[in-house]
Amino acid sequence: VKQLKQRSPRYGENERKRMIRQTKIADHVRLGDTVLGRYTIIRHTRPDVIAIGHDQLALKKDIERFLREKKLDIEVVRCRKKK
């Protein structure tokens, strides 16, 4: 997060993962790769949907580019901003 946004995240990785699990909106919750642009987790898990943060438009576009290149049919959605 710090590399993409030039600031530390409000919640750590494990806390964000726990919070998403508690909502029960996802069957499985996994963290992304530690190396930007590698997307190993996508190739290994082949999810039905990839959900990213509301403020991650550049990441969404890059993931969609990756999916087109690899001919993977996976939906990418941006979560709405928390009110």
Side-chain angles (χ1 to χ4, degrees):
V1 172
K2 191 169 186 172
Q3 189 174 2
L4 290 173
K5 297 183 181 183
Q6 287 72 51
R7 64 175 172 78
S8 294
R10 182 176 295 155
Y11 303 101
E13 289 180 334
N14 290 325
E15 179 69 6
R16 291 193 311 267
K17 194 173 167 180
R18 184 190 63 74
M19 289 167 33
I20 293 169
R21 277 191 181 132
Q22 285 181 336
T23 67
K24 302 193 190 280
I25 61 172
D27 294 327
H28 302 283
V29 179
R30 294 190 172 85
L31 298 172
D33 294 311
T34 56
V35 177
L36 290 175
R38 185 174 288 169
Y39 305 125
T40 305
I41 191 78
I42 295 171
R43 286 184 271 151
H44 287 250
T45 60
R46 302 280 176 118
D48 296 322
V49 177
I50 298 170
I52 59 171
H54 68 91
D55 58 348
Q56 297 180 336
L57 183 57
L59 177 60
K60 181 178 188 283
K61 289 179 180 182
D62 193 54
I63 290 172
E64 289 171 337
R65 174 202 53 78
F66 171 81
L67 296 173
R68 280 191 305 276
E69 286 177 4
K70 301 299 180 189
K71 296 180 178 25
L72 297 172
D73 186 25
I74 300 171
E75 182 181 7
V76 181
V77 297
R78 284 174 54 208
C79 299
R80 285 182 272 154
K81 186 174 184 174
K82 184 177 175 181
K83 294 180 180 183

Coordinates of all heavy atoms in Angstrom, one line a residue:
V1 N 0.8 -1.2 0.0 CA 0.0 0.0 0.0 C 0.9 1.2 0.0 O 0.6 2.2 -0.8 CB -1.0 0.0 1.2 CG1 -1.7 1.3 1.3 CG2 -1.9 -1.1 1.1
K2 N 1.9 1.2 0.8 CA 2.8 2.4 0.9 C 3.4 2.7 -0.4 O 3.5 3.9 -0.8 CB 3.8 2.2 2.0 CG 4.6 3.5 2.3 CD 5.4 3.3 3.6 CE 6.0 4.7 3.9 NZ 6.7 4.6 5.2
Q3 N 3.8 1.7 -1.2 CA 4.4 1.9 -2.5 C 3.5 2.6 -3.5 O 3.8 3.4 -4.2 CB 5.0 0.6 -3.0 CG 5.8 0.8 -4.2 CD 6.5 -0.6 -4.6 OE1 6.2 -1.6 -4.0 NE2 7.3 -0.6 -5.6
L4 N 2.2 2.2 -3.4 CA 1.2 2.7 -4.4 C 0.7 4.1 -4.0 O 0.4 4.9 -4.8 CB 0.0 1.7 -4.5 CG 0.3 0.4 -5.2 CD1 -0.9 -0.5 -5.1 CD2 0.7 0.6 -6.6
K5 N 0.5 4.3 -2.7 CA -0.2 5.5 -2.2 C 0.7 6.5 -1.5 O 0.2 7.5 -1.1 CB -1.3 5.1 -1.3 CG -2.4 4.3 -1.9 CD -3.5 4.0 -0.9 CE -4.6 3.1 -1.5 NZ -5.7 2.9 -0.6
Q6 N 2.0 6.1 -1.3 CA 2.9 7.0 -0.6 C 2.5 7.3 0.8 O 2.8 8.3 1.4 CB 3.1 8.3 -1.4 CG 4.0 8.2 -2.6 CD 3.2 7.5 -3.8 OE1 2.1 7.9 -4.1 NE2 3.8 6.5 -4.4
R7 N 1.8 6.4 1.4 CA 1.5 6.5 2.8 C 1.2 5.1 3.4 O 0.9 4.2 2.6 CB 0.2 7.4 3.1 CG -1.0 6.8 2.5 CD -2.2 7.7 2.8 NE -3.4 7.3 2.1 CZ -4.2 6.3 2.4 NH1 -3.9 5.5 3.4 NH2 -5.3 6.0 1.7
S8 N 1.3 4.9 4.7 CA 1.0 3.6 5.3 C -0.5 3.4 5.3 O -1.2 4.4 5.5 CB 1.6 3.6 6.7 OG 3.0 3.6 6.6
P9 N -0.9 2.2 5.2 CA -2.4 1.9 5.3 C -2.9 2.1 6.7 O -2.1 2.0 7.7 CB -2.5 0.4 4.9 CG -1.1 -0.2 5.3 CD -0.1 0.9 5.0
R10 N -4.2 2.4 6.8 CA -4.8 2.6 8.1 C -4.8 1.3 8.9 O -4.6 1.2 10.1 CB -6.2 3.1 7.9 CG -7.0 3.3 9.2 CD -8.3 3.9 9.0 NE -8.2 5.2 8.4 CZ -9.1 5.8 7.7 NH1 -10.3 5.2 7.5 NH2 -8.9 7.0 7.2
Y11 N -5.1 0.2 8.2 CA -5.1 -1.2 8.8 C -4.0 -2.1 8.1 O -3.9 -2.0 6.9 CB -6.5 -1.8 8.7 CG -7.6 -1.0 9.2 CD1 -8.4 -0.2 8.4 CD2 -7.8 -1.0 10.6 CE1 -9.4 0.6 8.9 CE2 -8.9 -0.2 11.1 CZ -9.7 0.6 10.3 OH -10.7 1.3 10.8
G12 N -3.4 -2.9 8.9 CA -2.5 -3.9 8.3 C -3.1 -4.9 7.5 O -4.4 -5.1 7.5
E13 N -2.3 -5.7 6.7 CA -2.9 -6.7 5.8 C -3.8 -7.7 6.5 O -4.9 -8.0 6.0 CB -1.7 -7.5 5.2 CG -0.9 -6.7 4.2 CD 0.2 -7.5 3.6 OE1 0.7 -8.5 4.3 OE2 0.6 -7.2 2.5
N14 N -3.3 -8.2 7.6 CA -4.1 -9.3 8.3 C -5.4 -8.7 8.8 O -6.4 -9.4 8.9 CB -3.3 -10.0 9.3 CG -2.2 -10.8 8.7 OD1 -2.4 -11.4 7.7 ND2 -1.1 -10.9 9.3
E15 N -5.4 -7.5 9.3 CA -6.6 -6.8 9.8 C -7.6 -6.6 8.7 O -8.8 -6.8 8.9 CB -6.2 -5.5 10.5 CG -7.4 -4.7 11.1 CD -8.1 -5.4 12.3 OE1 -7.5 -6.4 12.8 OE2 -9.1 -4.9 12.7
R16 N -7.1 -6.1 7.5 CA -8.0 -5.9 6.4 C -8.6 -7.2 5.9 O -9.8 -7.3 5.7 CB -7.3 -5.3 5.2 CG -6.9 -3.8 5.5 CD -6.4 -3.1 4.3 NE -5.4 -3.7 3.5 CZ -4.1 -3.6 3.6 NH1 -3.6 -2.8 4.5 NH2 -3.3 -4.2 2.8
K17 N -7.8 -8.3 5.9 CA -8.3 -9.6 5.5 C -9.3 -10.1 6.5 O -10.4 -10.6 6.1 CB -7.1 -10.5 5.5 CG -7.3 -11.8 4.8 CD -6.0 -12.6 4.8 CE -6.1 -14.0 4.4 NZ -4.9 -14.7 4.3
R18 N -9.1 -9.9 7.8 CA -10.1 -10.3 8.8 C -11.4 -9.6 8.7 O -12.5 -10.1 8.7 CB -9.5 -10.1 10.2 CG -10.4 -10.6 11.3 CD -9.9 -10.2 12.7 NE -9.9 -8.7 12.9 CZ -11.0 -8.0 13.1 NH1 -12.2 -8.5 13.1 NH2 -10.9 -6.7 13.2
M19 N -11.3 -8.3 8.4 CA -12.5 -7.4 8.3 C -13.3 -7.9 7.1 O -14.6 -7.9 7.1 CB -12.1 -6.0 8.2 CG -11.6 -5.4 9.5 SD -10.8 -3.8 9.4 CE -11.5 -2.9 8.2
I20 N -12.7 -8.2 6.0 CA -13.4 -8.6 4.8 C -14.0 -10.0 5.0 O -15.2 -10.2 4.7 CB -12.5 -8.7 3.6 CG1 -12.1 -7.3 3.2 CG2 -13.2 -9.4 2.4 CD1 -10.9 -7.2 2.2
R21 N -13.3 -10.9 5.7 CA -13.9 -12.2 6.0 C -15.1 -12.1 6.9 O -16.1 -12.8 6.7 CB -12.9 -13.1 6.8 CG -11.9 -13.8 5.9 CD -11.1 -14.8 6.7 NE -10.2 -15.5 5.8 CZ -8.9 -15.6 6.1 NH1 -8.4 -15.2 7.3 NH2 -8.1 -16.3 5.3
Q22 N -15.1 -11.1 7.8 CA -16.3 -10.9 8.7 C -17.5 -10.5 8.0 O -18.6 -10.8 8.4 CB -15.9 -9.9 9.8 CG -15.0 -10.5 10.9 CD -14.7 -9.5 11.9 OE1 -14.8 -8.3 11.7 NE2 -14.3 -10.0 13.1
T23 N -17.4 -9.8 6.8 CA -18.5 -9.4 6.1 C -19.2 -10.5 5.4 O -20.4 -10.4 5.0 CB -18.1 -8.3 5.0 OG1 -17.4 -9.0 4.0 CG2 -17.4 -7.2 5.6
K24 N -18.5 -11.6 5.2 CA -19.0 -12.8 4.5 C -19.4 -12.5 3.1 O -20.3 -13.2 2.5 CB -20.2 -13.4 5.3 CG -19.7 -13.8 6.7 CD -20.8 -14.7 7.4 CE -20.5 -14.9 8.8 NZ -19.5 -15.8 9.2
I25 N -18.8 -11.5 2.4 CA -19.1 -11.2 1.0 C -18.3 -12.1 0.1 O -18.5 -12.1 -1.1 CB -19.0 -9.7 0.7 CG1 -17.5 -9.3 0.9 CG2 -20.0 -8.9 1.5 CD1 -17.2 -7.9 0.5
A26 N -17.3 -12.7 0.6 CA -16.4 -13.5 -0.2 C -16.2 -14.9 0.3 O -16.2 -15.1 1.5 CB -15.0 -12.8 -0.3
D27 N -16.1 -15.9 -0.6 CA -15.9 -17.3 -0.2 C -14.4 -17.4 0.3 O -14.2 -18.1 1.3 CB -16.1 -18.2 -1.4 CG -17.5 -18.2 -1.8 OD1 -18.4 -18.1 -1.0 OD2 -17.8 -18.4 -3.0
H28 N -13.5 -16.7 -0.3 CA -12.1 -16.8 0.0 C -11.5 -15.4 0.0 O -11.8 -14.7 -0.9 CB -11.3 -17.7 -0.9 CG -11.8 -19.1 -1.0 ND1 -11.6 -20.0 0.0 CD2 -12.6 -19.7 -1.9 CE1 -12.2 -21.2 -0.3 NE2 -12.8 -21.0 -1.5
V29 N -10.7 -15.1 0.9 CA -10.0 -13.8 0.9 C -8.5 -14.0 0.9 O -8.0 -14.8 1.8 CB -10.4 -13.0 2.2 CG1 -9.6 -11.6 2.2 CG2 -11.9 -12.8 2.3
R30 N -7.8 -13.5 -0.1 CA -6.4 -13.7 -0.2 C -5.7 -12.3 -0.4 O -6.3 -11.5 -1.1 CB -6.1 -14.6 -1.4 CG -6.5 -16.0 -1.1 CD -6.0 -17.0 -2.1 NE -6.3 -18.3 -1.8 CZ -7.5 -18.9 -2.1 NH1 -8.4 -18.3 -2.7 NH2 -7.7 -20.2 -1.7
L31 N -4.5 -12.2 0.1 CA -3.7 -11.0 -0.2 C -3.1 -11.1 -1.5 O -2.8 -12.2 -2.0 CB -2.7 -10.8 0.9 CG -3.2 -10.6 2.3 CD1 -2.1 -10.7 3.3 CD2 -4.0 -9.4 2.5
G32 N -2.8 -9.9 -2.1 CA -2.1 -9.9 -3.4 C -0.6 -10.2 -3.3 O -0.1 -10.5 -2.2
D33 N 0.1 -10.2 -4.4 CA 1.5 -10.5 -4.4 C 2.3 -9.4 -3.7 O 1.9 -8.2 -3.7 CB 2.0 -10.6 -5.8 CG 1.4 -11.8 -6.5 OD1 1.5 -12.9 -6.0 OD2 0.9 -11.7 -7.7
T34 N 3.5 -9.7 -3.2 CA 4.3 -8.7 -2.6 C 5.1 -7.9 -3.7 O 5.5 -6.8 -3.5 CB 5.3 -9.3 -1.7 OG1 6.1 -10.3 -2.4 CG2 4.6 -9.9 -0.5
V35 N 5.2 -8.4 -4.9 CA 5.8 -7.8 -6.0 C 4.8 -7.2 -7.0 O 3.9 -7.9 -7.5 CB 6.8 -8.7 -6.8 CG1 7.4 -8.0 -8.0 CG2 7.8 -9.3 -5.9
L36 N 4.8 -5.9 -7.1 CA 3.8 -5.2 -8.0 C 3.8 -5.7 -9.4 O 4.9 -5.9 -10.0 CB 4.0 -3.7 -8.0 CG 3.6 -3.0 -6.7 CD1 4.0 -1.5 -6.8 CD2 2.2 -3.2 -6.3
G37 N 2.6 -6.0 -10.0 CA 2.6 -6.4 -11.4 C 2.8 -7.9 -11.7 O 2.7 -8.3 -12.8
R38 N 3.2 -8.7 -10.7 CA 3.5 -10.1 -11.0 C 2.2 -10.9 -11.1 O 2.1 -11.7 -11.9 CB 4.3 -10.6 -9.8 CG 4.8 -12.1 -10.2 CD 5.7 -12.6 -9.2 NE 7.0 -12.0 -9.4 CZ 8.0 -12.1 -8.5 NH1 7.9 -12.8 -7.4 NH2 9.2 -11.5 -8.7
Y39 N 1.2 -10.7 -10.2 CA -0.1 -11.3 -10.2 C 0.0 -12.8 -10.2 O -0.9 -13.5 -10.8 CB -0.9 -10.8 -11.4 CG -1.0 -9.3 -11.5 CD1 -0.7 -8.6 -12.6 CD2 -1.5 -8.7 -10.4 CE1 -0.8 -7.2 -12.6 CE2 -1.7 -7.3 -10.4 CZ -1.3 -6.6 -11.5 OH -1.4 -5.2 -11.5
T40 N 0.9 -13.4 -9.5 CA 1.1 -14.8 -9.3 C -0.2 -15.4 -8.7 O -0.7 -16.5 -9.1 CB 2.3 -15.1 -8.5 OG1 3.4 -14.5 -9.0 CG2 2.5 -16.6 -8.3
I41 N -0.7 -14.7 -7.7 CA -1.9 -15.2 -7.0 C -3.1 -15.4 -7.9 O -3.9 -16.3 -7.8 CB -2.3 -14.2 -5.8 CG1 -3.3 -14.8 -4.9 CG2 -2.8 -12.9 -6.3 CD1 -2.8 -15.8 -3.9
I42 N -3.2 -14.5 -8.9 CA -4.3 -14.7 -9.9 C -4.1 -15.9 -10.7 O -5.0 -16.7 -10.9 CB -4.4 -13.4 -10.8 CG1 -4.8 -12.2 -10.0 CG2 -5.4 -13.6 -11.9 CD1 -4.7 -10.9 -10.7
R43 N -2.9 -16.1 -11.2 CA -2.6 -17.3 -12.0 C -2.8 -18.6 -11.2 O -3.3 -19.6 -11.8 CB -1.2 -17.3 -12.6 CG -1.1 -16.2 -13.7 CD 0.2 -16.2 -14.4 NE 1.0 -15.3 -13.6 CZ 2.3 -15.4 -13.4 NH1 3.0 -16.3 -13.9 NH2 3.0 -14.5 -12.7
H44 N -2.5 -18.6 -10.0 CA -2.6 -19.8 -9.2 C -4.0 -20.1 -8.7 O -4.4 -21.3 -8.6 CB -1.6 -19.7 -8.0 CG -0.2 -19.9 -8.3 ND1 0.5 -21.0 -8.0 CD2 0.6 -19.1 -9.1 CE1 1.8 -20.9 -8.5 NE2 1.8 -19.7 -9.1
T45 N -4.8 -19.1 -8.4 CA -6.1 -19.3 -7.8 C -7.2 -19.2 -8.8 O -8.3 -19.8 -8.5 CB -6.4 -18.3 -6.6 OG1 -6.3 -17.0 -7.1 CG2 -5.4 -18.5 -5.5
R46 N -7.0 -18.5 -9.9 CA -8.1 -18.3 -10.9 C -9.4 -18.0 -10.2 O -10.4 -18.7 -10.4 CB -8.3 -19.6 -11.7 CG -7.0 -20.0 -12.5 CD -6.8 -19.2 -13.7 NE -5.6 -19.6 -14.4 CZ -5.5 -20.1 -15.6 NH1 -6.6 -20.3 -16.3 NH2 -4.3 -20.4 -16.1
P47 N -9.5 -16.8 -9.6 CA -10.8 -16.4 -8.9 C -11.9 -16.1 -9.9 O -11.6 -15.8 -11.1 CB -10.4 -15.2 -8.1 CG -9.2 -14.6 -8.9 CD -8.5 -15.8 -9.4
D48 N -13.1 -16.1 -9.4 CA -14.2 -15.7 -10.3 C -14.3 -14.1 -10.3 O -14.6 -13.5 -11.3 CB -15.6 -16.1 -9.7 CG -15.7 -17.6 -9.7 OD1 -15.2 -18.3 -10.7 OD2 -16.2 -18.2 -8.7
V49 N -13.9 -13.5 -9.2 CA -14.0 -12.0 -9.1 C -12.7 -11.6 -8.3 O -12.3 -12.2 -7.3 CB -15.2 -11.6 -8.3 CG1 -15.3 -10.1 -8.1 CG2 -16.5 -12.1 -9.0
I50 N -12.2 -10.4 -8.7 CA -11.1 -9.7 -8.0 C -11.7 -8.4 -7.5 O -12.2 -7.6 -8.3 CB -9.9 -9.5 -8.9 CG1 -9.3 -10.8 -9.4 CG2 -8.8 -8.7 -8.1 CD1 -8.2 -10.7 -10.4
A51 N -11.7 -8.2 -6.2 CA -12.2 -6.9 -5.7 C -11.0 -6.1 -5.2 O -10.1 -6.6 -4.5 CB -13.1 -7.2 -4.5
I52 N -11.0 -4.8 -5.6 CA -9.9 -3.9 -5.2 C -10.6 -2.7 -4.6 O -11.8 -2.4 -4.7 CB -9.0 -3.5 -6.4 CG1 -9.9 -2.9 -7.5 CG2 -8.3 -4.7 -6.9 CD1 -9.0 -2.3 -8.6
G53 N -9.8 -1.9 -3.9 CA -10.2 -0.7 -3.3 C -10.8 0.4 -4.2 O -10.4 0.5 -5.4
H54 N -11.6 1.2 -3.6 CA -12.3 2.3 -4.4 C -11.3 3.2 -5.1 O -11.6 3.8 -6.1 CB -13.3 3.0 -3.5 CG -12.6 3.9 -2.5 ND1 -12.2 5.2 -2.7 CD2 -12.2 3.5 -1.2 CE1 -11.6 5.6 -1.6 NE2 -11.6 4.7 -0.7
D55 N -10.2 3.4 -4.5 CA -9.2 4.4 -4.9 C -8.1 3.8 -5.8 O -7.0 4.4 -5.9 CB -8.6 5.2 -3.8 CG -8.0 4.3 -2.7 OD1 -8.1 3.0 -2.8 OD2 -7.3 4.8 -1.8
Q56 N -8.3 2.6 -6.3 CA -7.2 1.9 -7.0 C -7.5 1.7 -8.5 O -7.4 0.6 -9.0 CB -7.0 0.5 -6.3 CG -6.5 0.7 -4.9 CD -6.3 -0.6 -4.2 OE1 -6.8 -1.6 -4.5 NE2 -5.4 -0.6 -3.2
L57 N -7.9 2.8 -9.1 CA -8.2 2.7 -10.6 C -7.1 2.3 -11.4 O -7.2 1.5 -12.3 CB -8.7 4.1 -11.1 CG -9.2 4.2 -12.5 CD1 -10.3 3.2 -12.8 CD2 -9.6 5.6 -12.9
A58 N -5.8 2.8 -11.1 CA -4.7 2.4 -11.9 C -4.4 0.9 -11.7 O -4.1 0.2 -12.7 CB -3.4 3.2 -11.5
L59 N -4.6 0.4 -10.5 CA -4.4 -1.1 -10.3 C -5.4 -1.9 -11.1 O -5.1 -2.9 -11.7 CB -4.5 -1.4 -8.8 CG -4.4 -2.9 -8.4 CD1 -3.1 -3.5 -8.9 CD2 -4.6 -3.0 -6.9
K60 N -6.7 -1.4 -11.1 CA -7.8 -2.1 -11.8 C -7.4 -2.2 -13.3 O -7.5 -3.2 -13.9 CB -9.1 -1.4 -11.6 CG -10.3 -2.0 -12.3 CD -11.6 -1.3 -12.1 CE -12.8 -2.0 -12.6 NZ -12.9 -1.9 -14.0
K61 N -6.9 -1.1 -13.9 CA -6.6 -1.1 -15.3 C -5.4 -2.0 -15.6 O -5.4 -2.7 -16.6 CB -6.2 0.3 -15.7 CG -7.5 1.2 -15.8 CD -7.1 2.6 -16.3 CE -8.4 3.5 -16.3 NZ -8.0 4.8 -16.8
D62 N -4.4 -2.1 -14.7 CA -3.3 -2.9 -14.9 C -3.7 -4.4 -14.7 O -3.2 -5.2 -15.5 CB -2.2 -2.6 -13.9 CG -0.9 -3.3 -14.3 OD1 -0.4 -3.1 -15.4 OD2 -0.3 -4.0 -13.4
I63 N -4.5 -4.7 -13.8 CA -5.0 -6.1 -13.6 C -5.8 -6.5 -14.9 O -5.6 -7.6 -15.4 CB -5.9 -6.3 -12.4 CG1 -5.0 -6.2 -11.1 CG2 -6.6 -7.6 -12.4 CD1 -5.7 -6.2 -9.8
E64 N -6.6 -5.6 -15.4 CA -7.4 -5.9 -16.6 C -6.5 -6.1 -17.8 O -6.8 -7.0 -18.6 CB -8.4 -4.8 -16.9 CG -9.6 -4.8 -15.8 CD -10.5 -3.6 -15.9 OE1 -10.1 -2.5 -16.4 OE2 -11.6 -3.8 -15.5
R65 N -5.4 -5.4 -17.9 CA -4.5 -5.6 -19.0 C -3.8 -7.0 -18.8 O -3.7 -7.7 -19.8 CB -3.4 -4.5 -18.9 CG -2.2 -4.7 -19.9 CD -1.0 -4.0 -19.5 NE -0.5 -4.3 -18.1 CZ 0.1 -5.4 -17.7 NH1 0.4 -6.4 -18.6 NH2 0.5 -5.6 -16.5
F66 N -3.4 -7.3 -17.6 CA -2.8 -8.6 -17.4 C -3.8 -9.7 -17.8 O -3.4 -10.7 -18.4 CB -2.4 -8.7 -15.9 CG -2.0 -10.1 -15.5 CD1 -0.8 -10.6 -15.7 CD2 -2.9 -11.0 -14.8 CE1 -0.4 -11.8 -15.3 CE2 -2.6 -12.2 -14.4 CZ -1.3 -12.7 -14.7
L67 N -5.0 -9.6 -17.4 CA -6.1 -10.6 -17.7 C -6.3 -10.8 -19.2 O -6.4 -11.9 -19.7 CB -7.4 -10.3 -17.0 CG -7.4 -10.3 -15.5 CD1 -8.7 -9.8 -14.9 CD2 -7.0 -11.7 -14.9
R68 N -6.3 -9.7 -19.9 CA -6.4 -9.7 -21.4 C -5.2 -10.5 -22.0 O -5.4 -11.3 -22.8 CB -6.5 -8.3 -22.0 CG -7.9 -7.7 -21.9 CD -8.0 -6.5 -22.7 NE -7.0 -5.5 -22.4 CZ -7.1 -4.6 -21.5 NH1 -8.2 -4.6 -20.7 NH2 -6.1 -3.7 -21.3
E69 N -4.0 -10.1 -21.5 CA -2.8 -10.7 -22.1 C -2.8 -12.2 -21.8 O -2.3 -13.0 -22.7 CB -1.5 -10.1 -21.4 CG -1.2 -8.7 -21.9 CD 0.0 -8.1 -21.2 OE1 0.6 -8.8 -20.4 OE2 0.3 -7.0 -21.5
K70 N -3.2 -12.7 -20.7 CA -3.2 -14.1 -20.3 C -4.5 -14.8 -20.7 O -4.7 -16.0 -20.4 CB -3.0 -14.2 -18.8 CG -1.7 -13.6 -18.3 CD -0.5 -14.3 -18.9 CE 0.8 -13.6 -18.4 NZ 1.9 -14.1 -19.1
K71 N -5.4 -14.0 -21.3 CA -6.7 -14.6 -21.8 C -7.5 -15.2 -20.6 O -8.0 -16.4 -20.8 CB -6.5 -15.6 -22.9 CG -5.9 -14.9 -24.2 CD -5.7 -15.9 -25.3 CE -5.2 -15.4 -26.6 NZ -4.5 -14.2 -26.7
L72 N -7.5 -14.5 -19.5 CA -8.3 -15.0 -18.3 C -9.6 -14.2 -18.2 O -9.6 -13.0 -18.3 CB -7.4 -14.8 -17.1 CG -6.1 -15.6 -17.0 CD1 -5.3 -15.1 -15.8 CD2 -6.4 -17.1 -16.9
D73 N -10.7 -14.9 -18.1 CA -12.0 -14.3 -18.0 C -12.4 -14.2 -16.5 O -13.0 -15.0 -15.9 CB -13.0 -15.1 -18.7 CG -14.4 -14.4 -18.8 OD1 -14.4 -13.2 -18.7 OD2 -15.4 -15.2 -18.9
I74 N -11.9 -13.1 -15.9 CA -12.1 -12.8 -14.4 C -12.6 -11.4 -14.3 O -12.1 -10.5 -14.9 CB -10.8 -13.0 -13.6 CG1 -10.3 -14.4 -13.8 CG2 -11.0 -12.7 -12.2 CD1 -8.9 -14.7 -13.2
E75 N -13.7 -11.3 -13.6 CA -14.3 -9.9 -13.3 C -13.5 -9.2 -12.3 O -13.1 -9.7 -11.3 CB -15.7 -10.1 -12.8 CG -16.4 -8.8 -12.6 CD -17.9 -9.0 -12.1 OE1 -18.3 -10.1 -11.8 OE2 -18.5 -8.0 -12.0
V76 N -13.2 -7.9 -12.6 CA -12.5 -7.0 -11.6 C -13.5 -5.9 -11.2 O -14.0 -5.2 -12.0 CB -11.3 -6.4 -12.3 CG1 -10.5 -5.5 -11.3 CG2 -10.3 -7.5 -12.8
V77 N -13.7 -5.8 -9.9 CA -14.6 -4.8 -9.4 C -13.9 -3.9 -8.4 O -13.0 -4.4 -7.6 CB -15.9 -5.4 -8.7 CG1 -16.7 -6.2 -9.8 CG2 -15.5 -6.3 -7.6
R78 N -14.3 -2.6 -8.3 CA -13.8 -1.7 -7.3 C -14.9 -1.6 -6.3 O -16.1 -1.4 -6.5 CB -13.6 -0.3 -8.0 CG -12.3 -0.3 -8.8 CD -12.1 1.0 -9.5 NE -12.1 2.2 -8.7 CZ -12.5 3.3 -9.1 NH1 -12.9 3.5 -10.3 NH2 -12.5 4.4 -8.3
C79 N -14.5 -1.7 -5.0 CA -15.4 -1.6 -3.9 C -15.8 -0.1 -3.7 O -15.0 0.8 -4.1 CB -14.7 -2.0 -2.6 SG -14.3 -3.8 -2.6
R80 N -16.9 0.2 -3.2 CA -17.4 1.5 -3.0 C -16.7 2.1 -1.8 O -16.3 1.3 -0.9 CB -18.9 1.6 -2.7 CG -19.7 1.4 -4.0 CD -21.1 1.5 -3.8 NE -21.6 0.2 -3.5 CZ -22.6 -0.1 -2.8 NH1 -23.4 0.8 -2.2 NH2 -23.0 -1.4 -2.5
K81 N -16.5 3.4 -1.7 CA -15.9 4.0 -0.6 C -16.8 3.9 0.6 O -18.0 4.1 0.5 CB -15.7 5.5 -0.9 CG -14.9 6.3 0.1 CD -14.6 7.7 -0.3 CE -13.7 8.4 0.7 NZ -13.3 9.7 0.3
K82 N -16.2 3.6 1.7 CA -16.9 3.5 3.0 C -17.4 4.9 3.4 O -16.7 5.9 3.3 CB -15.9 3.0 4.1 CG -16.6 2.7 5.4 CD -15.6 2.1 6.4 CE -16.2 2.0 7.7 NZ -15.3 1.4 8.7
K83 N -18.6 5.0 3.8 CA -19.2 6.3 4.2 C -18.9 6.6 5.7 O -18.7 5.8 6.5 CB -20.7 6.2 4.0 CG -21.0 6.1 2.5 CD -22.5 6.1 2.4 CE -22.9 6.0 0.9 NZ -24.3 6.1 0.6

